Amino acid sequence: MTACMLELENVSVEINGRKLLSNLSFKLEKGEHVALMGLNGSGKTTILNVVGGLLKFSGTVKVCDTILTGKTIKNIRKNVGYLFNVPEEQLLFPRICDDVAWELINSGMDKKRAMEKALETLEILHIGHLAERSIHELSHGQKQRSALAGIIAAEKPLWLLDEPSSGLDPVAKRDLGTLIEKHSDVTILCALNDTDFAEKYFSRIIFIEDGTLVSANSSISTVKKTWDLI
Ligand SMILES: Nc1ncnc2c1ncn2[C@@H]1O[C@H](COP(=O)(O)OP(=O)(O)OP(=O)(O)O)[C@@H](O)[C@H]1O
Ligand SMILES: [Mg+2]
């Protein structure tokens, strides 16, 4: 039997009387790479924020069989790597290498080893030369890749990725796809509206519209037809 890594059951979010999510239910098994697809404003980031413990919700969210509550969130976060939609929200230190090393030091790794690992990870992403730079000196794609380096280095079993391919050049996009494929033991929920990237690198599509689930196992052609792309 495969282990369930993430489960949402009847999850709803309401802000100022407006429903952003309505009774969403879906599961991700361990090692599944799932694209969360929907148009702008459909609720992708809201879902990731719920799982990341950043937003109040009703219903049940389970990560590795632990129910997400105010008490469990700290422990759950030890298992979750969240790549924000806006890399500026993720990169907070004066140098990129400090940002990548931070999560490792925070989880108890020796500072020297953490920095070595940060530099190794930046090399894997072909941005080792940016290690000493500040975020303000980087292009958008370089910021995206630097933020991703932090997620990869931390080696957490569940990744939440919010449009990680946006703004990447074709080579960086392909590298990101290969990297996702290589991490076959990591469970990934990835918000996307890039149909080509979703089709190429993800095994399942969860399709949402206006905060409601259309399908927890949609085909890419259904998504494209719904969006009038074919
Ligand atoms: N803090 C907030 N307060 C009130 N409404 C919000 C808030 N954040 C988002 N929304 C609304 O919630 C809905 C879902 O937004 P969300 O950011 O989850 O969409 P998305 O699918 O990630 O869109 P995009 O593709 O543009 O990133 C939108 O209608 C948005 O206007
Ligand atoms: Mg979004």
Side-chain angles (χ1 to χ4, degrees):
M1 204 174 72
T2 44
C4 182
M5 193 67 190
L6 173 65
E7 181 170 7
L8 276 71
E9 227 179 273
N10 289 322
V11 168
S12 298
V13 171
E14 194 173 311
I15 297 182
N16 298 332
R18 224 161 56 81
K19 272 224 153 160
L20 309 193
L21 301 180
S22 303
N23 294 315
L24 277 178
S25 301
F26 61 79
K27 285 182 191 180
L28 267 69
E29 307 292 347
K30 188 176 183 307
E32 268 198 299
H33 292 176
V34 176
L36 175 60
M37 303 198 74
L39 293 175
N40 295 146
S42 58
K44 303 180 295 295
T45 299
T46 305
I47 292 172
L48 299 185
N49 282 341
V50 164
V51 179
L54 302 175
L55 211 53
K56 276 193 176 168
F57 62 93
S58 64
T60 308
V61 174
K62 276 191 219 165
V63 177
C64 312
D65 284 334
T66 302
I67 294 179
L68 176 65
T69 64
K71 281 187 180 156
T72 59
I73 184 62
K74 218 173 154 192
N75 267 330
I76 283 180
R77 284 210 181 113
K78 290 180 187 164
N79 289 316
V80 180
Y82 188 176
L83 182 79
F84 295 145
N85 185 226
V86 183
E88 284 84 353
E89 288 178 8
Q90 201 130 5
L91 302 168
L92 308 168
F93 286 87
R95 297 179 310 168
I96 291 303
C97 56
D98 296 320
D99 259 304
V100 180
W102 178 80
E103 182 82 43
L104 302 172
I105 295 167
N106 200 31
S107 62
M109 191 181 277
D110 161 75
K111 276 190 183 164
K112 187 166 170 280
R113 176 65 201 124
M115 188 51 74
E116 280 168 8
K117 192 164 182 198
L119 296 175
E120 281 162 21
T121 311
L122 288 168
E123 287 296 340
I124 291 170
L125 289 168
H126 311 296
I127 48 170
H129 60 291
L130 304 179
E132 300 283 330
R133 292 238 209 128
S134 129
I135 179 184
H136 309 292
E137 301 164 17
L138 302 184
S139 74
H140 174 73
Q142 289 172 332
K143 286 177 195 168
Q144 284 275 71
R145 284 201 267 172
S146 304
L148 183 67
I151 306 295
I152 293 164
E155 292 186 5
K156 297 187 178 185
L158 175 63
W159 291 355
L160 308 173
L161 309 178
D162 198 350
E163 316 234 11
S165 60
S166 72
L168 293 187
D169 66 46
V171 176
K173 229 184 213 189
R174 183 202 57 207
D175 288 350
L176 171 67
T178 308
L179 210 130
I180 286 171
E181 281 176 337
K182 268 192 190 158
H183 285 79
S184 54
D185 53 337
V186 177
T187 309
I188 302 175
L189 181 62
C190 179
L192 280 178
N193 42 35
D194 179 337
T195 51
D196 292 339
F197 193 74
E199 185 170 24
K200 200 158 181 196
Y201 296 109
F202 290 83
S203 53
R204 178 155 68 95
I205 294 166
I206 292 176
F207 188 24
I208 59 165
E209 262 181 349
D210 294 330
T212 59
L213 187 73
V214 178
S215 168
N217 193 1
S218 177
S219 70
I220 198 71
S221 59
T222 299
V223 174
K224 283 183 177 170
K225 272 183 201 152
T226 308
W227 292 351
D228 227 0
L229 300 175
I230 49 173

